[in-house]
Amino acid sequence: MAKIGRNEKCPCQSGKKYKHCCGLKERAAKPQLSPEAALKITLMGGVEAIQEAALAKKAVNRELGVFFLYSTSEGDAWLLEMTDCDCVQVARGGEVVESPINENPEVIEINWSHRFVIREKKLEITAYADNSVLVLADAPSREISAAIKRIRRKFSDAQLRAIHLPTKEDAPSA
């Protein structure tokens, strides 16, 4: 059976175009994702894709909303959050690192392990655990800098603040 074009007459003989008749019913029957759910799928899909690139030892960069993901030809991969400059490694030496991402219907929680800064055109990361500093020479620092600038132009300060929810430790005491 041939596929029905959106602008063709509906096969139900209503006389309407398919897109205004049975096509509407078909679209309504498909489950619609909330923006939050769509972002979760996109983020997890992005993490999995960058991990696959790291396994194949391919250098890949990808920007998703406020996130920047990259893999190197050495098999390392990182997820960077561009508004607070947090990051976490998702692959090391061609091996997948367990993803510290916890999803539920309301939020995406990521257990960030490092913070980052671009210094002297190099990506410098600092571990939250012990404040050790490491310079990642093979990181795409120029592309990361450009992504930070794009995100700060694209989103208002209020939107960027709304991305982060206060933790229990951040909440004001009563």
Side-chain angles (χ1 to χ4, degrees):
M1 187 168 150
K3 185 176 176 184
I4 302 165
R6 289 176 27 88
N7 289 315
E8 292 179 21
K9 288 194 179 214
C10 192
C12 76
Q13 305 295 320
S14 67
K16 297 179 183 178
K17 288 184 178 183
Y18 177 74
K19 67 182 178 184
H20 293 297
C21 189
C22 292
L24 282 175
K25 296 173 195 165
E26 191 176 292
R27 280 195 304 278
K30 290 181 182 176
Q32 299 295 316
L33 296 176
S34 68
E36 294 84 10
L39 178 60
K40 290 175 191 171
I41 290 169
T42 303
L43 179 59
M44 287 309 299
V47 169
E48 290 167 1
I50 213 70
Q51 287 173 326
E52 288 175 19
L55 291 175
K57 299 197 175 186
K58 289 183 183 176
V60 175
N61 300 332
R62 186 164 183 205
E63 194 174 325
L64 291 170
V66 298
F67 299 103
F68 187 89
L69 301 99
Y70 79 90
S71 63
T72 67
S73 58
E74 301 297 316
D76 295 333
W78 287 81
L79 168 64
L80 288 75
E81 196 276 343
M82 308 306 272
T83 61
D84 274 354
C85 295
D86 291 316
C87 60
V88 66
Q89 192 167 20
V90 294
R92 182 180 302 115
E95 299 285 325
V96 170
V97 174
E98 187 176 333
S99 182
I101 300 171
N102 179 26
E103 297 178 331
N104 64 55
E106 288 82 35
V107 295
I108 300 172
E109 295 175 348
I110 302 172
N111 187 14
W112 301 109
S113 59
H114 296 76
R115 62 185 175 273
F116 73 91
V117 66
I118 302 293
R119 192 167 309 199
E120 297 177 10
K121 299 182 180 180
K122 292 188 172 108
L123 180 63
E124 183 178 290
I125 62 168
T126 304
Y128 283 121
D130 60 6
N131 285 325
S132 61
V133 177
L134 183 63
V135 175
L136 302 178
D138 59 349
S141 54
R142 192 177 85 191
E143 291 84 353
I144 294 167
S145 292
I148 291 171
K149 289 175 187 171
R150 272 192 304 278
I151 287 166
R152 290 189 177 150
R153 279 193 311 264
K154 186 176 181 179
F155 298 104
S156 69
D157 288 339
Q159 288 173 315
L160 293 174
R161 280 192 304 274
I163 291 171
H164 300 283
L165 301 175
T167 62
K168 290 178 185 173
E169 295 81 29
D170 296 335
S173 55

